[in-house]
Amino acid sequence: MMTFSRNAVGCWLLAISCWLCALSAHGQEPTVITRSQMVGIGGSNILDTYISDEHFRGFGASFLSVVDRQRPGRHWSTLVEHEANFSTTRNRARTQHELEGAYNFYWGRLYNWQLLDGRLRLQAGALANVSAGFIYNTSNSNNPAQARFHINVLPTGVATYHFRLFRRAMAARYELSLPLFGIQFSPNYGQSYYEIFGRGNYDRNIVPTTFVSAPEWRHAVTLDTSLSARLTLRIGYLGNIQQSHVNGIRQHVWTHRFLIGLTKRFSITPHAL
């Protein structure tokens, strides 16, 4: 009986040791990270009928950070993006000005295919988008500002093609995101912010949205040129078309940015337990 117990304990210890070794080996798998940080300038087009029926056009600047994480041999990757934007615009008569600012956070999981001997990488999945911002009319005394907040689920596709030109490693990348469904904050037509927050009069201010009521089209095309083994120069274009028609209020913020920045590729190996 004692011999059987010792054998059982030995088997359990051996099994636990193998399990811990497997966890340790799994934890040490390197994660390949591609991180891009870019700044951009370009045109902006703003409409918000809660503030004004006029279209406002001008220029703005943006900061974009893109982080792609994937383990070698795995089909799934994680994509994280931060986009901050600020615009200054004016109406056609140049009598009014509007300021617009927004922060967009994107997080998602994408399935990967490697084609053409690894030169072409295709990714497909979905991103969750949390966006917060404002539109402020410097001339209005009544309803001078509009808060912006929405959460969206965006089906997303990415294509990256690696090639060589003039003896340099290069990569062309295209990313496209379209809306599926989400929720959005909006005052109702004729409702003031004092009624919402001062009196607590809720009037369908959190609205479910779809690709019909809040169509969106976000796409980016970039070109990478290697500067060293791990560092590349990235130039490109980002177009973010956000618009909605809810609670009797039409709103759109269209931004077009020409980008320049740096991309770094590196690996991280977690420490063993």
Side-chain angles (χ1 to χ4, degrees), residues 63 80-86 100-106 129-134 148-150 242:
F63 170 79
V80 180
E81 300 190 22
H82 302 268
E83 180 186 343
N85 175 73
F86 181 79
E100 179 272 335
Y103 167 72
N104 286 276
F105 173 74
Y106 301 89
N129 167 224
V130 179
S131 178
F134 68 92
R148 302 176 61 223
F149 179 81
H150 68 249
Q242 296 184 348

Side-chain angles (χ1 to χ4, degrees), residues 214-245:
E216 182 176 340
W217 182 33
R218 181 177 186 264
H219 66 136
V221 56
T222 58
L223 179 65
D224 289 357
T225 304
S226 63
L227 300 177
S228 64
R230 294 186 177 182
L231 193 64
T232 65
L233 173 69
R234 174 169 287 189
I235 59 174
Y237 161 79
L238 171 67
N240 197 347
I241 309 300
Q242 296 184 348
Q243 49 197 14
S244 65
H245 190 182

